[in-house]
Amino acid sequence: MSKYDFQYFQGNSFSDLFAQDITDARYAFIPNYPATGSWAAYPNIKKYFIQDGSSEATKTSFDKICQKEPWKNLAVLGDRIPGIVIISPPKLLINYWQEHFGFSHSSIEMMDCSTYLDDLSQNSHFDKLITLFPFDNLQPEKHAVNPDIHYRLLSKVTLAELGVQCPKYSSYNLHTQSLEDIELPQFPYLIKTSHGLSGEGTYIIKSTSDLNYCFEEIRKYLDIKLLDTIIVSEFVKNQVQNYCVQFYVNKAGDITLIGTTSQLVTPEGNYLGGLINYRETDMSKFYEMIAAIGQYAHKLGYFGFIGFDVLEDQDGQLYVIDANFRINGSTPLCLQRHTLLSLGKEVAKYSSDYRMDGTLDSILVTLKPQLDRKDFIILSALEKVKYGKIYTEIYGIVSGEAIAQMQHIEQNLQNKGLQASA
C-alpha cells in the first residue's frame, strides 16, 4: 500500500478546484499570459521577465496570447469564479461550449485590453486575481499568490530545490558572469532561460552550431533586457517516456490528482501529440514526486494547479525536467476524464495546431456528428483569412475507446477536412 492516499478530482472545471480556496475574498481568474511584444498594452519588462521570443519577429503573437490560449482556458473554467476576458470569444464558440461542457459561461467578465490591468489594480470589485504568471502591471497585493514567490517557483533555477530527482544543472546570472566564461559540459546538453514560455528559451546543444545559435538568441534577450539567468543542464539519455503529471494543491496543502499525459509516438515514429489514457495511467509511481513538489509549493504559500514534466529512461529512472506552477497546456484534456469515461472513451489526445478551411459556423455543421459523439471537442477556435480564403485555427481533443479507434476517428476527421498543421 502506498503511504499516500491521493484522490482523483471528480469535477470537470478549473473553478470546481479553485472554489475551496476562494471563500475568503472576491477572486477572479486571468486566463492569459503577460507578453513582451510591442503590441502589448502592458509588457512584462520591469521585474517578472518572460522569454516569449528574442525579437519582434519571433515573439508569441497577439492572437495566441489574447485569443486562442485564454479561450481554451475559459472553455473549462466553469461558473464558480469569474474569468477576465480582454478579447471576447465568438458567440458561436461560447454557444458550443455551453452545449458540450454544460457550464453557463455567465461569469465571463469583459474588460478593455488596453486598460484591464489598471482597472483590476484599482477595482474594488475583485480583491484577488489568480494568474498563470505574475503581471508587472498588476498591483502585487492583487495577485492571489505573492508574485515574487510565484515568479521564483516558475523559474527553471528552482528545480533542484523541489526535493525530486532531476538532471544535474548549474545556473548562471548573466549580469555577473559572461557567456564566454561559462564552463560547458560535453555534447549533448541543454541550455535554458529562466522563464521561457512553452518551449521558447530551451536549446538542445548537440554541436558547436547549436551552441552558436543559442548564444546568439541569449545575447538578443540580454540586449532587450529581458533575461537575468540561464541554466546549463545535463541531457537525459535513453529516454523512453515523456510525461506531464498534474495535480492541485489547496491552501491547506491537500493534494488532488488531475491526471498524467504522455507525449506518444506510433511504432513508425509519427508524433501523436499530448495523449492520455484515463483508465490505464497509474499515477502512483509519481506519488513521492507529487508529495515533495506539493509540500514545497505549500510551504512557500502557493495554491493552485501544478504540472511537472518527467522523463523516464530505459532503466526506469524518473527525472523531473520542468515544473510549471500554473494551469498547463494539457490540463483541459485531463479534465475530460469523467465525461469521456462515461461514454466508454478511455484514450484522448490534445493538440493546439488543428486547422480547417471555412468559418467556425460551417465547421460546426460539417463536424456535427463527431462533435455530438465527443469524438472531437473544440476548446478554442479562431477564424483567419489567407489569400482571401477563410480558415479556422482550432485547439481540440480527439477521443476514442482505445488508441486504434482514436486514430481511426482522427482519420475520419481528416477526411472531412480537419488538418493537423504539424
Side-chain angles (χ1 to χ4, degrees), residues 349 354 356 367 407-420:
K349 170 192 159 183
Y354 291 118
M356 189 161 164
L367 299 184
Q407 287 172 307
H408 179 67
I409 286 169
E410 199 162 31
Q411 190 56 59
N412 285 344
L413 288 161
Q414 273 174 16
N415 295 345
K416 284 193 151 192
L418 184 76
Q419 304 153 17

Side-chain angles (χ1 to χ4, degrees), residues 210-224:
D210 289 341
L211 182 63
N212 292 340
Y213 172 76
C214 168
F215 275 11
E216 207 177 299
E217 287 288 291
I218 286 172
R219 285 195 186 94
K220 285 185 200 167
Y221 275 122
L222 288 170
D223 287 346
I224 55 176

Side-chain angles (χ1 to χ4, degrees), residues 72 244 246 258 261 274 276 327-335 350:
K72 167 199 77 180
C244 180
Q246 302 186 41
I258 295 169
T261 61
I276 192 162
I327 288 165
N328 282 243
S330 59
T331 312
L333 171 66
C334 298
L335 293 185
Y350 160 74

Side-chain angles (χ1 to χ4, degrees), residues 2-4 6 162-164 283-294 308:
S2 163
K3 63 176 175 178
Y4 302 107
F6 298 142
L162 300 179
V164 293
M283 288 185 71
S284 63
K285 69 174 170 184
F286 306 115
Y287 280 2
E288 297 280 342
M289 292 175 158
I290 291 169
I293 295 172
F308 59 95

Side-chain angles (χ1 to χ4, degrees), residues 261-264 271-276 330 333 348-351 398:
T261 61
S262 51
Q263 320 276 21
L264 279 196
Y271 178 64
L272 273 174
L275 200 121
I276 192 162
S330 59
L333 171 66
K349 170 192 159 183
Y350 160 74
S351 176
V398 179

Side-chain angles (χ1 to χ4, degrees), residues 197-218:
L197 177 62
S198 59
E200 172 61 38
T202 293
Y203 309 95
I204 299 173
I205 312 297
K206 293 181 172 176
S207 66
T208 309
S209 64
D210 289 341
L211 182 63
N212 292 340
Y213 172 76
C214 168
F215 275 11
E216 207 177 299
E217 287 288 291
I218 286 172

